Structures are given as structure tokens and as C-alpha cells.
Amino acid sequence: MSILAIGSIAFDTITSPFGTAERVLGGSCTYFSLAASYFTNVRVVAVVGEDFTPQNEAILKRRGIDTQGIQREKGKTFFWAGQYGENVNEAKTLTTELNVFEQFNPQIPSGYSDTEFLFLGNIHPTLQAHVRRQLNGARLVGGDTMNYWIDRTRDELVQTLKLIDVLLINDGEAKMLARETNLPRAANKVLAMGPRALVIKHGEYGATIFFREGAFGIGRHPFRAPTLPIEEVRDPTGAGDSFAGGFMGYIASQDELTREVLKRALFYGGVMGSFAVERFGTERLQNLSREEIESRFQLFRELTHLA
Amino acid sequence: MSILAIGSIAFDTITSPFGTAERVLGGSCTYFSLAASYFTNVRVVAVVGEDFTPQNEAILKRRGIDTQGIQREKGKTFFWAGQYGENVNEAKTLTTELNVFEQFNPQIPSGYSDTEFLFLGNIHPTLQAHVRRQLNGARLVGGDTMNYWIDRTRDELVQTLKLIDVLLINDGEAKMLARETNLPRAANKVLAMGPRALVIKHGEYGATIFFREGAFGIGRHPFRAPTLPIEEVRDPTGAGDSFAGGFMGYIASQDELTREVLKRALFYGGVMGSFAVERFGTERLQNLSREEIESRFQLFRELTHLA
């Protein structure tokens, strides 16, 4: 089955203690698509400017990603420059130039109307809802958001959450959205807003999925997946988007939507996030093999499973 | 087999959003001993003042803890007062009165010389080393420390680490001790200082155990155990000590010192820590049943294990 991803394509200039990468292809949609492409067919809807080259597009095409939903506008592509210090968990943003992304108005190609799996990347919640309503046949809708939208467009976001099956956010975003400092209580409050499941990403500590009573299975026990302790985190940019790509991509590759599938998907999310940070930009996500992915999945299992 | 715990006994006055507990029995040795007492016989070496009553001692005795190593000195018992805000992960210390603990000079009763498992609580590293050398027959020595000793007595601590088999510290302490911000690299540096295994506690995210190559088994893959997402953390005081008690107590209850035993011990550590925070002080640790503990162990397994 195929998954449709909506989000940003950007050029990133990234500096970390390991070096600098100049104007490499980035953006949430890019990381998500590359990560998901190892599991299923991926279609993207995003916007780029005149500086987006055939060589840039080839990075996606080489992974079999369907790029006909990429909209080309006059002007420049979204540009971000950031710096990581010794503590790579904290990015310092040096430059954000939204450029063509500021007026992004996602158009769904008619051939995409059969989309079964949809991922609504981190864009204005009203745009997310607009896309969601055009794809009413979707079996599962994943979504992302961020502090900016929680703070400035809370009402719109709360409406959009009713249209999302699985929301993927981090600890700080969950607490901010729920206005609650205790994480499981925050999770319950977010689930009451609409999603059937909530994935909370804990950075280097992994992620937890919380379920609404009875969603995808019986009961409401949460489930936690780890990330691998990585000794050389060269560039954490895109780790969360790669996590989402592995998570949603694996789900889209399965016939059934069971709780066990979502649990394994949480592991695959961590696996793809752990690969992403090993190299600058999307370099590591461009040339993986399914064997490397399965081997790391096995490492994650050994990291957490008792005999 | 029995375990000997050295550390502090204190009176704590604790305030959290859930209420206040006045002068309840606390201290690292108290939490550790109570948690360990569900797995094995526990002996304690600690110091108390004249305000320590038979009723206080009875809390330990009811759990079968051998209290003959408790030294009684003129003056008052260690007193701590602290406050937790909405974010219960951060304690604000209101008062610390070391009292008799300031001159604590641990004396090992002669009957304890057959001790096989030893836990060196958070005291001056030179005192830890002194106790360790008196108990050379110990099969396994666990140890704790804190920022205060890492900062002020680094040289002494580095010497003591050569005498400890398993060090249990938190993320911040590990990074400070190793002078390294990346956690797995910090772990490698700490292991190079002496311990065969290092448990790094991640607070609400669980804990990871790192092994020296070949220690307790083959290879050096780390292992991670979760904590349960707890909706009502009433009082996080003693969570880390209860973790250590569950971890060391389980190990002492087993015949073999294998890696699988240490992995299960990491789960039991999380289990005992998760119980401790549900009530003020040691209340929850005083009246558990082995069935409740096994049932929560099972919950932890379901939280993390794929089918």
C-alpha cells in the first residue's frame, strides 16, 4: 500500500561538532519520505522554489518516491540554518527563511485520491484539515505539529485533532498541548481531543505510544520502544521526521491495523531515527538496505527484551 | 543470601502538590533496605541520633531487616526538607541538617563479615572504600554517588570506583563524572575507571545498564528497562534508592551472576522505584506483597516486549 506525506522540503545548512553541511536537502517531508520508502510506496505533496534542481529531486526518485505532488513556485525553497553544540539535543536556529513554504497551499493530485495512509506533516492545522477532508478514504491518518501551532492556532489544532488517528509529538509538545506536566495524564488529555493513539517521542530515550480505550485492540496499556544509545550523533536534524517515516511506513506495509503492528512500528520508528542521526542531513537514509534495518531492529529487541 | 547496605537514615519533611508529610522516616539506606527486603535478607549500617525511636526502627524490623548495624550517636538524626512543584522531577531543598550523619564513621559488626552482596550508598568515597576493604569476601559490590562527591572529591571517588562492580548513577552524574555529554561515550569512560557494569538512571524514562566487554557474559550490548508511566507521582523522594534496592536485592536473591540476572534486576529496580513514588515517604514500600511486585514486573514486560 502507499502512503501520502504532506510537509516541507527545505535546504538546510547544519553545523555540529562533527562539521558543517551546506544547503543539503532537508525538510520534514524529505526525511519522512526517505525513511518510509524502505517499507512502502511513498507519494509526497510539498512546495519547492526555482532553486530545487533535478539532482535534488533525484534523491527522492532513487528511493522510488512519487514526486508528482511536488509543487514548483516562483521564488526560493524554504531555507534553514542551525547549529548543534556539544549537547546535540539542542539546536540553535541561525536562519529561517520560509520563502515559498510561507504560502504553501497543498494540492492533491487526482491520482492520489485512493490514498489509504496519510501523514500530515508539521504545517498549519487548517491546511492539515483541508488535506484530510480531501482524502476521506484513508484508513489511517498520522499527524505532527509543534509548539508554534499549539501556541498560536490552538483552536484550529483542536479541530484538526478530531481528524487524526495517530498524533506524533514530543514530550514538551504533549505537555503544552494538554496544559499538564505529568506525561501519562497529558497523554490522556490529548487522546480525549480525538486521536485514537498518541506517540510521544522522548528524544534519546525512545518513545511511548498511548492508546484510547479499545483503539486497535483491547485495553489501554501503553507501549514503549527504545532508541539505540548512539556514540556518534553527527546531526540530529530530522530524527523525529525519520521516526515518523519508519513508524507510518511500517504500518502502511502491513495488512492489518492491530496493536501489535503499531508496537512493531514504534520500534521501526526508533530504528530509522537512529540511522538518520549518524550522518549529516539525509545521507544515511539514502543508501540503507532492508537487511541493515532488520539487523538494527534486532539490536533494539536485544536492548529491551528479557529472555 | 543477604545484602549489606550502607547509607543514610533521615527524617524527611516533604511537600508536593498532593500534600505534606512531616518528619517521615527516609534516607537512602531506608528506601534501599525496604525495597531490597522483598527479595533477600538485608542488613544495614547507618547512623541515627537520639530522636530515632523504636517505632522508627520497627518500620525496618517489620520487613525483617537486621538493624544491629545502626549506630546511635548523641544529637539529632539527619534531617531534610524538600518541596516538589507541578513538575515533580525537580526537588527544591528547603533544609538540610546533616546532624549525626556529618561524622558518620561506618562500623561493620563482626557478624557481617560474611557479607556476599554489598551496597555502598551515597557517602564520602573514602568511607565507601574503607567499608569495601573490610568486606573483601563480597561477590558483588554496588555503589552510588552524587554530584557533590564528583565535584569535590573526584580523586578519592576515582580510587573507590576501582573497588565497585556496579555503579548506579543518573544521567547528569554520569556526564559530570566522565566529562562527556554523549551518554554512551560517558558510559564507556566511567566503565574504564573500574566498574564492570554501569547503571544509568533516566528518571521517568527508565534506566540503561552498560557492560564492560565480557563482564557477566558475552559482548558489550547495553540493556534498557522502562519505568511505568505513573499518573499520580505523589512523592518522588527515594525513587533512585528504591530502584537500587530492587536491583541489588533481586541480584542477591539469585544463585548466578549472569547478564540475564542483571537485566531482570534492572526491571525489578524500575518496579520498586515505581511503587515508591505512589505514596509519601516509604509508605508504599512498607506493605507490598510479592504478588504485587510480580504483577507490576509483568506490566513492565508488556510495556516493552513485542509478541
Side-chain angles (χ1 to χ4, degrees), chain A residues 10-284:
Chain A
F11 291 115
D12 294 340
T13 291
I14 302 153
T15 303
S16 89
F18 292 89
T20 296
E22 292 273 357
R23 289 186 64 79
V24 291
L25 192 68
S28 66
C29 199
T30 305
Y31 283 98
F32 181 96
S33 308
L34 289 170
S37 73
Y38 291 92
F39 301 94
T40 192
N41 295 319
V42 184
R43 301 157 166 179
V44 298
V45 168
V47 64
V48 298
E50 293 156 308
D51 50 356
F52 185 78
T53 65
Q55 288 73 28
N56 296 139
E57 189 169 357
I59 290 175
L60 302 174
K61 283 190 159 173
R62 273 199 299 271
R63 287 294 319 143
I65 296 166
D66 180 342
T67 59
Q68 63 168 300
I70 296 183
Q71 304 163 207
R72 285 144 207 282
E73 303 290 344
K74 285 212 165 126
K76 286 186 173 181
T77 303
F78 185 1
F79 174 72
W80 179 79
Q83 187 165 14
Y84 300 93
E86 272 304 320
N87 181 354
V88 289
N89 294 317
E90 290 160 30
K92 183 180 167 192
T93 291
L94 302 174
T95 312
T96 301
E97 295 168 8
L98 292 175
N99 298 328
V100 297
F101 188 64
E102 194 162 12
Q103 299 298 325
F104 180 36
N105 183 13
Q107 306 295 319
I108 311 299
S110 57
Y112 288 2
S113 60
D114 62 346
T115 291
E116 291 197 75
F117 294 89
L118 172 63
F119 184 72
L120 300 166
N122 177 20
I123 59 174
H124 193 296
T126 302
L127 290 181
Q128 289 180 317
H130 178 68
V131 170
R132 170 65 180 99
R133 290 206 183 87
Q134 289 176 65
L135 295 164
N136 266 324
R139 287 176 63 196
L140 189 92
V141 181
D144 186 12
T145 192
M146 69 182 295
N147 291 358
Y148 183 89
W149 306 120
I150 297 169
D151 188 34
R152 301 193 192 199
T153 61
R154 171 177 284 270
D155 293 346
E156 295 90 326
L157 179 58
V158 166
Q159 291 306 311
T160 298
L161 288 181
K162 295 175 185 165
L163 309 172
I164 287 177
D165 297 295
V166 185
L167 181 68
L168 292 97
I169 50 182
N170 66 31
D171 286 60
E173 291 158 353
K175 290 174 180 178
M176 189 177 176
L177 178 56
R179 294 173 169 155
E180 164 65 56
T181 58
N182 173 281
L183 206 61
R185 281 210 304 271
N188 288 340
K189 288 186 180 175
V190 173
L191 289 172
M193 295 177 185
R196 292 193 280 156
L198 170 66
V199 173
I200 302 185
K201 296 172 285 180
H202 311 311
E204 64 178 314
Y205 302 117
T208 306
I209 185 164
F210 294 87
F211 297 100
R212 247 166 61 192
E213 176 71 39
F216 305 106
I218 297 162
R220 51 184 286 275
H221 285 321
F223 186 76
R224 182 167 288 182
T227 49
L228 204 66
I230 300 261
E231 290 188 28
E232 288 207 350
V233 177
R234 286 173 182 266
D235 171 17
T237 312
D241 302 313
S242 306
F243 181 100
F247 176 81
M248 290 292 298
Y250 178 76
I251 291 173
S253 76
Q254 300 296 298
D255 292 332
E256 293 186 305
L257 281 179
T258 64
R259 207 166 276 196
E260 196 58 34
V261 166
L262 270 70
K263 290 177 181 180
R264 284 203 302 273
L266 207 69
F267 268 69
Y268 280 110
V271 164
M272 300 312 289
S274 78
F275 279 123
V277 304
E278 290 181 345
R279 297 280 182 279
F280 275 92
T282 61
E283 188 188 335
R284 191 72 177 99

Side-chain angles (χ1 to χ4, degrees), chain B residues 43-255:
Chain B
R43 300 158 167 178
V44 298
V45 167
V47 65
V48 296
E50 292 155 307
D51 50 356
F52 185 78
T53 65
Q55 288 74 29
N56 297 139
E57 189 170 356
I59 291 175
L60 302 173
K61 283 190 158 174
R62 274 199 299 273
R63 288 294 319 144
I65 296 165
D66 180 342
T67 59
Q68 63 167 299
I70 296 183
Q71 303 163 208
R72 285 143 207 282
E73 303 291 344
K74 285 213 167 127
K76 285 187 173 180
T77 302
F78 185 2
F79 174 73
W80 178 80
Q83 187 165 14
Y84 300 92
E86 271 304 319
N87 181 352
V88 290
N89 294 317
E90 290 160 29
K92 183 180 168 194
T93 290
L94 303 174
T95 312
T96 301
E97 295 168 8
L98 291 175
N99 298 327
V100 297
F101 188 64
E102 193 161 14
Q103 300 298 326
F104 180 35
N105 182 13
Q107 307 295 319
I108 311 300
S110 57
Y112 288 3
S113 59
D114 62 345
T115 290
E116 291 197 76
F117 295 88
L118 172 64
F119 184 71
L120 300 167
N122 178 19
I123 58 174
H124 193 297
T126 302
L127 289 181
Q128 289 180 317
H130 178 68
V131 169
R132 171 65 180 99
R133 290 206 181 87
Q134 289 176 63
L135 295 164
N136 266 324
R139 287 176 62 196
L140 188 91
V141 180
D144 187 12
T145 192
M146 69 182 293
N147 291 358
Y148 183 90
W149 306 120
I150 297 170
D151 188 35
R152 302 193 192 197
T153 61
R154 170 177 283 270
D155 293 347
E156 295 90 326
L157 179 59
V158 166
Q159 290 307 311
T160 298
L161 288 180
K162 295 175 185 167
L163 309 172
I164 287 176
D165 297 295
V166 186
L167 180 68
L168 293 96
I169 51 182
N170 66 31
D171 286 61
E173 290 158 354
K175 290 175 181 178
M176 188 177 176
L177 179 56
R179 293 173 170 155
E180 165 64 56
T181 58
N182 173 282
L183 206 61
R185 281 210 303 272
N188 288 340
K189 287 187 180 175
V190 173
L191 289 172
M193 295 177 185
R196 293 193 280 157
L198 170 66
V199 173
I200 301 185
K201 295 172 285 181
H202 312 310
E204 64 178 314
Y205 302 117
T208 307
I209 185 164
F210 294 89
F211 297 100
R212 249 170 55 195
E213 175 73 38
F216 304 105
I218 297 162
R220 51 183 286 275
H221 285 321
F223 185 76
R224 181 166 291 181
T227 49
L228 203 65
I230 300 263
E231 291 187 26
E232 289 207 350
V233 177
R234 285 171 182 268
D235 171 17
T237 312
D241 302 314
S242 306
F243 181 101
F247 177 81
M248 291 292 298
Y250 178 76
I251 291 172
S253 76
Q254 300 295 299
D255 292 332

